[in-house]
Amino acid sequence: DMPLPARLDTLTQDTASIGDLSWWELYNDTTLQQLIHRALTYNKDLKIASARMNELAALKRIDFENMFPQATASLNGNRETTNYGGDNFDADPELSLTASISWELDLWGNLRWARDHSTAGFLASVENCRAVKMGLVAQVAQSNLLAVGIQCDIEMAETSAYVTDCTNGHGTRPGTQDFPERKRNRTLDR
């Protein structure tokens, strides 16, 4: 028998996930971090996604501002002089001030719908930008892991070839004391 609690508390669930970690916390290799940083800085797809996100953020602000009253004012000035012959100049200044206040009532919900639509578009662009960034980090990490694996395979093959050369055909390896020295000398001879 396994003792089970009388009540399961749903409020104390562990919500920690690897998805909540930042990429620099997940990958602690400095070379990989530099590669990822460079890829995030210069990737054109990520720049396009960021620009689209900024564009939709501006459209969202415009649609939100349309819900409020709008006031406009303008001041115009004009000065004309007339001369109907002679030395008598007649100045005719004109000044005008116009102001207007307007507020579109949202009787049918058109403004609310436009605001909600632009908010949804902005949130979708944020998630798209995050997905592009996550995919880029994953691609760089995968490529780096593949390159490191190939490098390890090459080193192992070189070590294996060196050990085969050093067995003198008898199947025995020379003493381990001089093995690193021979490998270093062989590397220097190349």
Side-chain angles (χ1 to χ4, degrees):
D1 281 339
M2 184 176 191
L4 295 175
R7 180 174 156 250
L8 295 176
D9 189 9
T10 59
L11 298 176
T12 59
Q13 291 180 351
D14 184 19
T15 59
S17 169
I18 196 168
D20 295 331
L21 294 175
S22 300
W23 64 264
W24 56 86
E25 295 172 350
L26 187 60
Y27 303 116
N28 56 7
D29 181 16
T30 57
T31 304
L32 179 58
Q33 287 178 350
Q34 290 172 353
L35 290 172
I36 292 172
H37 179 69
R38 188 175 299 154
L40 291 175
T41 302
Y42 298 111
N43 186 273
K44 291 182 182 179
D45 291 334
L46 186 58
K47 287 183 180 184
I48 291 170
S50 296
R52 180 71 178 151
M53 183 178 66
N54 292 337
E55 177 186 356
L56 289 175
L59 290 174
K60 181 179 80 78
R61 284 192 298 272
I62 289 171
D63 286 337
F64 182 73
E65 290 169 0
N66 286 337
M67 301 285 292
F68 297 103
Q70 298 175 1
T72 59
S74 64
L75 175 65
N76 296 318
N78 188 11
R79 182 171 182 226
E80 294 180 359
T81 56
T82 55
N83 183 3
Y84 293 110
D87 294 333
N88 189 7
F89 289 98
D90 188 18
D92 187 19
E94 290 183 21
L95 291 174
S96 66
L97 173 66
T98 57
S100 66
I101 296 176
S102 65
W103 189 6
E104 183 178 348
L105 296 177
D106 193 19
L107 296 178
W108 309 109
N110 197 22
L111 294 176
R112 284 187 306 251
W113 180 86
R115 182 197 61 199
D116 293 345
H117 177 72
S118 62
T119 301
F122 169 70
L123 293 175
S125 71
V126 169
E127 291 303 318
N128 179 48
C129 191
R130 291 172 76 189
V132 168
K133 185 183 286 188
M134 189 182 314
L136 185 61
V137 168
Q139 284 178 343
V140 171
Q142 182 180 14
S143 298
N144 184 56
L145 182 62
L146 182 63
V148 168
I150 290 172
Q151 184 179 7
C152 288
D153 289 346
I154 290 171
E155 289 175 1
M156 192 178 340
E158 286 177 349
T159 304
S160 175
Y162 177 74
V163 169
T164 303
D165 288 346
C166 294
T167 59
N168 300 326
H170 301 292
T172 58
R173 198 174 104 183
T176 57
Q177 302 90 328
D178 59 348
F179 178 69
E181 184 66 28
R182 287 184 187 176
K183 182 178 179 186
R184 187 175 65 82
N185 289 341
R186 181 176 175 168
T187 305
L188 293 175
D189 291 339
R190 288 185 188 175

